Amino acid sequence: MYRIRTLNNISPSCREILSAPDYELSDSEKNPDALFVRASDLHGYPFNPELKCIGRAGIGVNTIPLEECTSKGIVVFNTPGGNANGVKELFVFALGMASRDIFDGMKWVYSYDGSEGPIETRMEKIKKQFAGPEYAGKVLGVIGTGNVGSLVANIALDLNMEVLAYDPYLSVDAAWKVSRHVQRISSLDELLKQCDYLTLHVPLNEETRGLINDKTISVMKNGVRIINYARGEVVDEDAIIRALESGKVARYVADFPTERLVHTKNVILTPHLGGTTIEAESNCAKMAAKEMDDYLRNGNIRNSVNMPNVYLERNGESRVCVIHKNVPGMLTKIMTVFSRDQINIENMSNKSRGEIAYSVFDVNAKISKEILHEITEIDNVIRVRGLN
Ligand SMILES: NC(=O)C1=CN([C@@H]2O[C@H](COP(=O)(O)OP(=O)(O)OC[C@H]3O[C@@H](n4cnc5c(N)ncnc54)[C@H](O)[C@@H]3O)[C@@H](O)[C@H]2O)C=CC1
Ligand SMILES: O=C(O)C(=O)COP(=O)(O)O
């Protein structure tokens, strides 16, 4: 039986996959085989030696110490596309809120005390202060056209916007999802100077941290409206506050509140709601559950963000899975252990990703603890599992 510790509120639909007697889910397990998380920050988290994998029900893995996980042989999974539609639907609201002052208008409605006449007549006098431009016919710049950005770019076309996109790392698969009416721009500055609206859909990493800063904002049109449903740190906070105060940026709509942003004029904040729909939560929980189930029971890796993907149909009496450094001679050393014990390899796969590699062997015998120990002792082996 595998023990899974949940660190966040995970949709119960994961229990369709992670059920007894193979799995026990709890939010207090001390020595779990797997952690099931959403946006919990795991930097500094005390990983127990039994921990084999982490399932991130969601996309962003900036909250997970990937290098530490890799060096400890902990496989980290995420759920590409699982919540993209949820973010897209919220983007449509964000676009509206970036245009008209819906938020202040609603605040006025709910706080009006009737002192200046009935609300029905008073509102007609004051509503002009909440007016704003229409977004149809305007230029939207999309930075990052992966699972979320592609949906956002396509729906913006349906809303009659002109859409420009910048994504220097776009995969071929992802490119297929973007309408041919979206104009690909190869220079960030070229995109920034043309946009009336800008929306961010990149992961947070060392390259994208502070991507929107004094310099990039200076290239933009005066009165640009910026939407950030990616990560707060993609936008330099000092720079955006300066730009809002000067009027260079007309409005900033973001899913990542901070104390300072809450108190800055023309900022509209939602409480990290992009992936919070019934469907997105369920999709992500099921995807992550399937990924962890296939890894824990079969050693297969799909949608990992730190290990190579390896999928091999089970074949043979047992399976040996070895996470090791990607250095010459590893396979020979591992296979020498098998052949010395007269164990035949029925099928195998070996894949690498940067400095790490993963090898899976289906063999014709039950695997003893001694053999697993011998393989563990080989130099540059990080973790060994035997699945009988
Ligand atoms: N607010 C929320 O609740 C949610 C936020 N997110 C955030 O949105 C991000 C994107 O999500 P997905 O589209 O699902 O991820 P994805 O991995 O499908 O797409 C990310 C895209 O960004 C591109 N990219 C990477 N670095 C770039 C750079 N420097 N400049 C331009 N493009 C770059 C990649 O090539 C890729 O196409 C996530 O990493 C996460 O941080 C995602 C889902 C929900
Ligand atoms: O998937 C992501 O990156 C998100 O930001 C959504 O995260 P959450 O499901 O709210 O923890």
Side-chain angles (χ1 to χ4, degrees):
M1 200 231 300
Y2 293 106
R3 295 181 176 80
I4 301 199
R5 179 168 185 171
T6 52
L7 293 184
N8 298 97
N9 189 22
I10 306 286
S11 164
S13 59
C14 70
R15 290 180 186 270
E16 291 168 24
I17 296 132
L18 303 177
S19 55
D22 293 333
Y23 292 100
E24 188 179 273
L25 263 74
S26 110
D27 59 7
S28 56
E29 172 58 46
K30 294 261 182 325
N31 298 308
D33 296 289
L35 289 177
F36 207 158
V37 298
R38 285 181 61 179
S40 276
D41 192 353
L42 297 184
H43 289 97
Y45 187 91
F47 296 125
N48 54 298
E50 301 81 1
L51 188 72
K52 297 165 186 65
C53 63
I54 298 175
R56 190 331 185 185
I59 313 306
V61 287
N62 54 295
T63 40
I64 301 178
L66 295 180
E67 274 183 31
E68 181 188 349
C69 289
T70 308
S71 69
K72 291 181 172 166
I74 300 168
V75 183
V76 181
F77 298 98
N78 75 349
T79 59
N83 57 19
N85 190 65
V87 184
K88 177 200 81 179
E89 291 193 6
L90 203 51
F91 163 81
V92 178
F93 282 103
L95 198 53
M97 293 190 293
S99 298
R100 284 185 249 181
D101 200 357
I102 299 169
F103 181 61
D104 284 331
M106 289 177 71
K107 275 203 295 198
W108 180 86
V109 168
Y110 287 103
S111 62
Y112 184 60
D113 61 6
S115 58
E116 292 174 83
I119 192 164
E120 293 88 333
T121 47
R122 184 66 195 143
M123 70 186 178
E124 297 304 338
K125 294 214 166 68
I126 62 110
K127 69 181 181 189
K128 63 176 178 296
Q129 72 192 69
F130 306 121
E134 293 185 15
Y135 45 75
K138 306 288 174 6
V139 177
L140 172 73
V142 183
I143 303 187
T145 46
N147 285 300
V148 176
S150 58
L151 293 183
V152 160
N154 294 348
I155 200 160
L157 289 173
D158 293 340
L159 297 170
N160 295 323
M161 298 189 82
E162 188 183 332
V163 185
L164 313 180
Y166 170 77
D167 187 335
Y169 308 111
L170 191 64
S171 68
V172 175
D173 277 353
W176 278 104
K177 298 183 188 160
V178 182
S179 160
R180 66 191 167 84
H181 299 293
V182 170
Q183 299 168 51
R184 294 277 302 278
I185 308 280
S186 54
S187 140
L188 180 60
D189 279 3
E190 206 43 54
L191 174 131
L192 294 177
K193 69 184 187 203
Q194 298 182 59
C195 299
D196 302 298
Y197 293 77
L198 181 67
T199 187
L200 310 172
H201 300 290
V202 291
L204 174 64
N205 54 36
E206 281 327 298
E207 190 187 344
T208 59
R209 187 179 296 279
L211 182 73
I212 302 304
N213 54 38
D214 286 321
K215 193 161 165 282
T216 45
I217 290 174
S218 72
V219 179
M220 298 179 197
K221 279 187 183 174
N222 290 334
V224 62
R225 292 160 199 268
I226 301 178
I227 297 170
N228 179 7
Y229 274 71
R231 280 293 177 267
E233 297 91 327
V234 174
V235 174
D236 180 285
E237 190 163 286
D238 290 331
I240 192 78
I241 291 175
R242 267 193 293 275
L244 284 155
E245 283 168 351
S246 73
K248 173 82 187 178
V249 172
R251 196 159 293 149
Y252 177 53
V253 183
D255 207 13
F256 311 98
T258 66
E259 194 59 34
R260 284 176 76 203
L261 288 174
V262 167
H263 296 108
T264 304
K265 201 169 175 314
N266 289 323
V267 177
I268 310 286
L269 297 162
T270 45
H272 195 185
L273 285 182
T276 303
T277 66
I278 314 292
E279 291 81 358
E281 290 180 347
S282 170
N283 289 340
C284 292
K286 280 199 231 169
M287 264 176 98
K290 279 189 190 147
E291 291 158 0
M292 287 192 286
D293 173 51
D294 204 12
Y295 180 62
L296 290 170
R297 293 196 304 123
N298 299 316
N300 288 324
I301 301 185
R302 277 190 279 201
N303 291 332
S304 172
V305 293
N306 67 332
M307 298 277 172
N309 288 331
V310 172
Y311 178 80
L312 197 64
E313 286 286 340
R314 288 294 284 267
N315 190 332
E317 203 166 334
S318 44
R319 172 167 281 193
V320 177
C321 307
V322 188
I323 298 174
H324 53 88
K325 292 199 180 147
N326 185 20
V327 291
M330 293 306 294
L331 287 180
T332 315
K333 287 181 191 160
I334 298 166
M335 291 198 284
T336 305
V337 176
F338 291 137
S339 58
R340 212 172 38 223
D341 283 270
Q342 301 291 313
I343 292 171
N344 190 41
I345 297 169
E346 306 275 349
N347 200 3
M348 61 169 287
S349 178
N350 163 266
K351 294 266 171 60
S352 64
R353 177 173 185 163
E355 292 175 358
I356 204 87
Y358 184 52
S359 302
V360 175
F361 306 89
D362 278 345
V363 295
N364 71 340
K366 283 237 175 299
I367 287 293
S368 64
K369 281 195 176 128
E370 291 69 34
I371 290 179
L372 293 178
H373 180 72
E374 259 189 85
I375 299 174
T376 309
E377 291 296 293
I378 297 170
D379 262 359
N380 295 313
V381 164
I382 296 173
R383 179 164 225 153
V384 182
R385 294 173 64 216
L387 305 170
N388 278 316

